[in-house]
């Protein structure tokens, strides 16, 4: 029974990983192999010059820099705003806290498409089109991150805060010196999630950017396709360079991601 289960899981894993592996195979194929029909499953010969040609066609380095900068700023902003809001909802007492938190979490049920146009009109009225502010500011706060961190903060023992309070420790010092160091699993989870979400964002950067100097990689890859003819080996070479950082981050941060998700779900 276990053997059959492992075989089934192996087949499912192979089906999931095949598109990724095929992307890297196509990235090193020659133009002839990439355009062959039926397509080759594995490259007949390896051509590493595809990666350098991508840099000659589009400013892929600028796209990658913009994407990392936007994703990094968004991740940092969400960590700051979500952790502060989560601490207020978890450890502080104020009138209407539960009602405000319920309304705050209810925003998670609003589809992104509903808020996209109002956000775009606001960004345009502020003159933030084609700027880093327009790419990052609408995403600096997240209801999901606040909910995740609040659930984690609520697991911290009350006796810890009471002991810190007896030593003259206020909310700010307790939050910085005790809560944040103890919450590294949840903070790491939110960091990975927010970074990958913004790194893979396509529609919003397409709306608010107009020049190649401000484009992100998800849009830049589409510039490798042409109406007359498309060199698919170059398209896949650019795609491979784009997905490699996110794959590495996911592989090395998967354990942290699962640990933080499980820790945040233990207590409601």
């Amino acid at each position: 029974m276990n053997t059959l289960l492992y075989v089934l899981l192996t087949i499912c894993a192979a089906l999931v990983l095949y598109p990724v592996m095929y992307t890297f195979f196509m990235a090193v194929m020659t133009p002839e192999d990439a355009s062959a029909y039926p397509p080759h499953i594995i490259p007949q010969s390896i051509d590493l010059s595809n990666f350098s040609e991508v840099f000659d066609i589009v400013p892929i380095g600028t796209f990658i820099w913009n994407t990392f900068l936007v994703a990094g700023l968004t991740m940092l902003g969400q960590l700051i705003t979500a952790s502060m809001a989560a601490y207020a909802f978890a450890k502080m007492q104020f009138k209407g806290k539960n009602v405000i938190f319920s309304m705050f979490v209810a925003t998670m049920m609003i589809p992104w498409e509903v808020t996209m146009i109002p956000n775009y009109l606001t960004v345009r009225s502020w003159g933030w089109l084609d700027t880093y502010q327009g790419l990052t500011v609408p995403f600096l706060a997240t209801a999901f991150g606040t909910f995740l961190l609040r659930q984690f903060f609520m697991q911290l023992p009350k006796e810890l805060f009471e002991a810190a309070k007896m030593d003259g420790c206020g909310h700010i010092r307790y939050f910085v010196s005790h809560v944040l160091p103890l919450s590294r699993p949840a903070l790491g989870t939110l960091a990975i999630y927010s970074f990958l979400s913004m790194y893979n964002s396509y529609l919003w950067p397409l709306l608010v950017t107009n020049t190649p100097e401000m484009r992100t990689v998800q849009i830049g890859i589409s510039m490798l396709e042409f109406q007359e003819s498309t060199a698919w080996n170059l398209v896949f070479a650019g795609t491979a360079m784009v997905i490699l950082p996110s794959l590495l981050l996911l592989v090395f941060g998967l354990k942290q991601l699962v640990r933080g998700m499980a820790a945040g779900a233990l207590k409601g």
Side-chain angles (χ1 to χ4, degrees):
M1 185 65 182
N2 288 337
T3 303
L4 180 62
L5 179 61
Y6 284 127
V7 170
L8 180 62
L9 291 176
T10 302
I11 295 174
C12 293
L15 292 175
V16 172
L17 291 176
Y18 176 74
V20 179
M21 298 303 300
Y22 186 71
T23 298
F24 286 99
F25 288 154
M26 281 285 290
V28 296
M29 285 186 182
T30 61
E32 293 76 16
D33 290 342
S35 58
Y37 186 84
H40 296 303
I41 298 178
I42 58 176
Q44 305 298 309
S45 58
I46 296 178
D47 186 4
L48 296 179
S49 64
N50 295 336
F51 298 100
S52 60
E53 289 186 40
V54 171
F55 284 90
D56 296 333
I57 298 175
V58 296
I60 192 71
T62 301
F63 298 153
I64 293 176
W65 163 252
N66 289 339
T67 306
F68 270 92
L69 181 61
V70 170
L73 291 175
T74 303
M75 176 189 69
L76 183 62
Q78 290 189 6
L79 286 176
I80 294 174
T81 57
S83 61
M84 295 175 67
Y87 179 82
F89 286 126
K91 298 298 182 181
M92 301 179 69
Q93 300 297 326
F94 52 90
K95 189 175 181 179
K97 182 179 73 171
N98 293 332
V99 176
I100 296 174
F101 179 72
S102 299
M103 296 175 61
F104 196 81
V105 174
T107 61
M108 295 171 59
M109 295 183 290
I110 301 176
W112 158 244
E113 291 76 11
V114 175
T115 60
M116 178 176 59
I117 299 303
N119 284 336
Y120 174 79
L121 296 177
T122 301
V123 167
R124 188 183 65 175
S125 65
W126 288 350
W128 282 2
L129 293 180
D130 230 25
T131 64
Y132 290 119
Q133 303 96 289
L135 287 168
T136 57
V137 170
F139 303 96
L140 293 183
T142 167
F144 169 77
T146 302
F147 174 77
L148 175 68
L149 295 182
R150 174 185 176 270
Q151 299 305 104
F152 191 91
F153 292 169
M154 291 179 65
Q155 298 178 56
L156 299 178
K158 297 180 180 180
E159 293 79 10
L160 182 63
F161 176 69
E162 294 174 356
K165 188 176 180 180
M166 292 180 60
D167 290 336
C169 186
H171 282 292
I172 296 178
R173 184 179 174 186
Y174 176 69
F175 172 71
V176 174
S177 302
H178 296 80
V179 174
L180 293 183
L182 293 173
S183 305
R184 281 178 293 183
L187 293 173
T189 299
L190 179 59
I192 296 171
Y193 175 82
S194 61
F195 186 91
L196 291 178
S197 296
M198 199 62 197
Y199 187 89
N200 295 317
S201 178
Y202 176 80
L203 185 56
W204 182 252
L206 180 64
L207 285 175
V208 301
T209 60
N210 300 311
T211 60
E213 292 75 17
M214 294 301 301
R215 295 290 196 188
T216 57
V217 291
Q218 306 302 334
I219 305 172
I221 290 302
S222 63
M223 297 172 64
L224 293 171
E225 301 181 29
F226 305 97
Q227 284 186 331
E228 298 80 10
S229 62
T230 299
W232 290 109
N233 57 323
L234 299 183
V235 173
F236 278 93
T239 304
M241 288 189 288
V242 169
I243 67 175
L244 184 59
S246 58
L247 284 177
L248 293 176
L249 182 62
L250 186 61
V251 168
F252 290 106
L254 184 60
K255 183 177 180 181
Q256 183 81 9
L257 186 66
V258 173
R259 184 194 306 172
M261 287 291 188
L266 291 178
K267 183 176 181 179

